[in-house]
């Protein structure tokens, strides 16, 4: 049975740790909240929205019957043409380490004008780039490494920055295979170019791991594969509390249709297997879930709903 957990402490309770009112928000861009803080035992965590990307709606379910996919969208009053995917990154503070998990889109896809805000939102949250000791990449798609490629960012990061990514992911992107994805050719080109540039600029700071690595006390990154060969998730555990940052293993459609293939998955069948295993784990343990493309703030739990799953979002606290 899922464990009964206390509600995570939220923005107001964590302001002293992860917020700084002396960094003003941009007046137009920040009309809605873009950060949400929680506490997992002794670990501080801040979800930061990089914005929203809008790929074709069919990319979220490439193997679905078009009529069934359209009905799913209609039931939620969503467009049948372009599906809004939230783009979330996470900052974790454990001990004396400040860890950035994924880095958002940057300017890798200019057509996605509603995303690429992570860097100034980090600063608005009082997080100086030079304070980041570690970066964990769930994988190397352009909407996860792009923030590190923004002009001027590398120069503001500390020279001894450690970047943790699975060895399988690094190997894959030296000669990537898109034969089983549903990516538009233009985005394939972006993915190739971004990963190549990332490896060229940051190779000396990479700390590849094989299957699992403890980045900081209570912060463990584990390779799952599926979405990409080296795709990984990050689990936090402290004081009896748990949270998983699942990267691109779970999408909004995954609860009703875990069998639907995402167009950006390089091994769709394996990605489905991983997705189901992770959601079963989350339902059994009562762990909090944050995922890259779940609607912001993307904090919630997974419950079993018959033969499928049910998303239970956090009850916002102001």
């Amino acid at each position: 049975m899922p464990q009964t957990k206390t509600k995570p402490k939220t923005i107001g309770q964590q302001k002293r740790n992860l917020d700084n009112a002396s960094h003003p928000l941009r007046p137009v861009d920040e009309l809605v909240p873009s950060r949400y803080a929680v506490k997992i035992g002794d670990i501080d965590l801040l979800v930061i929205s990089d914005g929203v990307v809008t790929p074709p709606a069919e990319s979220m379910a490439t193997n679905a019957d078009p009529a069934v996919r359209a009905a799913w969208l209609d039931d939620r009053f969503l467009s049948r043409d372009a599906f809004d995917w939230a783009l979330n990154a996470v900052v974790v503070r454990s001990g004396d380490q400040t860890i950035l998990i994924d880095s958002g889109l940057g300017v890798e896809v200019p057509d996605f004008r509603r995303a690429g805000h992570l860097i100034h939102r980090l600063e608005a949250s009082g997080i100086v780039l030079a304070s980041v000791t570690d970066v964990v990449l769930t994988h190397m798609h352009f909407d996860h490494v792009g923030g590190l490629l923004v002009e001027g960012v590398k120069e503001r990061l500390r020279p001894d920055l450690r970047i943790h990514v699975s060895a399988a992911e690094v190997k894959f992107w030296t000669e990537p295979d898109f034969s089983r994805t549903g990516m538009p050719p233009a985005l394939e080109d972006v993915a190739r170019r971004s990963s190549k540039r990332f490896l060229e600029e940051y190779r000396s700071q990479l700390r590849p791991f094989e299957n699992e690595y403890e980045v900081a006390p209570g912060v463990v990154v584990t390779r799952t594969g599926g979405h990409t060969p080296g795709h990984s998730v990050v689990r936090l555990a402290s004081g009896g509390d748990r949270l998983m940052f699942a990267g691109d293993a779970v999408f909004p459609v995954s609860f009703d249709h875990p069998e639907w293939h995402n167009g950006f998955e390089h091994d769709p069948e394996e990605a489905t297997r991983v997705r189901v295993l992770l959601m079963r784990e989350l339902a059994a343990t009562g762990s909090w879930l944050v995922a890259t493309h779940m609607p912001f703030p993307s904090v919630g739990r997974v419950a079993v709903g018959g033969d499928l799953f049910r998303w239970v979002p956090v009850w916002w606290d102001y």
Side-chain angles (χ1 to χ4, degrees):
M1 294 294 290
Q3 298 177 4
T4 300
K5 297 288 184 181
T6 57
K7 184 179 178 181
K9 297 179 179 67
T10 53
I11 293 176
Q13 297 158 299
Q14 292 304 299
K15 189 172 289 292
R16 66 184 184 278
N17 294 324
L18 288 172
D19 205 354
N20 188 333
S22 67
H23 291 72
L25 301 177
R26 297 205 310 190
V28 175
D29 189 48
E30 300 296 338
L31 291 177
V32 296
S34 62
R35 60 186 184 268
Y36 194 83
V38 302
K39 193 169 181 68
I40 305 299
D42 293 328
I43 299 174
D44 293 314
L45 177 141
L46 185 67
V47 183
I48 299 183
S49 170
D50 187 58
V52 177
V53 294
T54 52
E58 65 183 277
S59 65
M60 70 169 186
T62 56
N63 63 328
D65 182 301
V68 177
R69 182 176 60 227
W72 189 91
L73 292 164
D74 291 346
D75 285 347
R76 289 153 185 80
F77 301 97
L78 298 173
S79 169
R80 293 185 178 185
D81 299 322
F83 187 72
D84 284 355
W85 287 4
L87 187 52
N88 305 305
V90 167
V91 176
V92 173
R93 282 183 177 159
S94 176
D96 60 357
Q97 291 173 249
T98 298
I99 305 156
L100 174 65
I101 305 178
D102 288 342
S103 71
L105 181 71
V107 294
E108 296 306 293
V109 187
D111 288 346
F112 290 161
R113 298 183 180 182
R114 296 164 61 195
H117 303 297
L118 180 68
I119 300 304
H120 82 256
R121 287 177 175 172
L122 283 171
E123 294 169 342
S125 303
I127 298 169
V128 179
L129 288 178
S131 71
V132 176
T133 60
D134 301 82
V135 171
V136 176
L137 296 176
T138 59
H139 59 297
M140 286 170 48
H141 275 153
F142 52 84
D143 55 334
H144 298 256
V145 302
L148 297 175
L149 300 177
V150 172
E151 184 177 357
V153 166
K154 185 177 182 182
E155 291 72 22
R156 293 158 63 191
L157 293 167
R158 43 196 297 161
D160 60 346
L161 177 74
R162 301 174 291 260
I163 301 178
H164 308 277
V165 61
S166 74
E169 189 73 359
V170 175
K171 180 180 179 181
F172 174 77
W173 286 103
T174 57
E175 194 173 344
D177 177 9
F178 294 88
S179 62
R180 301 193 64 198
T181 71
M183 278 197 207
L187 291 184
E188 287 185 14
D189 292 341
V190 171
R192 287 191 184 93
R193 183 173 63 249
S194 298
S195 61
K196 180 179 179 181
R197 184 178 160 207
F198 170 76
L199 289 173
E200 289 173 350
E201 293 196 15
Y202 287 98
R203 188 177 292 277
S204 65
Q205 289 164 288
L206 295 184
R207 300 294 183 269
F209 63 91
E210 291 300 325
N211 293 307
E212 189 167 276
Y213 181 74
E214 185 174 34
V215 179
V219 182
V220 176
V221 57
T222 304
R223 184 175 75 88
T224 64
H227 186 75
T228 62
H231 180 276
S232 303
V233 302
V234 183
R235 294 178 176 88
L236 311 183
S238 176
D241 295 330
R242 301 182 184 186
L243 182 144
M244 177 193 296
F245 184 76
D248 282 13
V250 178
F251 294 86
V253 300
S254 300
F255 302 90
D256 299 319
H257 293 282
E259 79 283 0
W260 280 1
H261 295 165
N262 184 277
F264 293 81
E265 292 169 341
H266 293 257
D267 186 340
E269 290 77 19
E270 180 64 8
T272 296
R273 187 188 72 82
V274 167
R275 180 160 43 249
V276 171
L277 285 174
L278 291 177
M279 289 200 292
R280 285 176 178 165
E281 173 191 334
L282 290 160
T285 63
S287 170
W288 293 98
L289 167 67
V290 176
T292 305
H293 299 296
M294 290 297 294
F296 180 83
S298 180
V299 181
R301 289 195 174 102
V302 178
V304 176
D307 294 330
L308 300 175
F309 300 92
R310 184 166 52 88
W311 170 242
V312 186
V314 67
W315 198 272
W316 273 65
D317 189 6
Y318 298 94

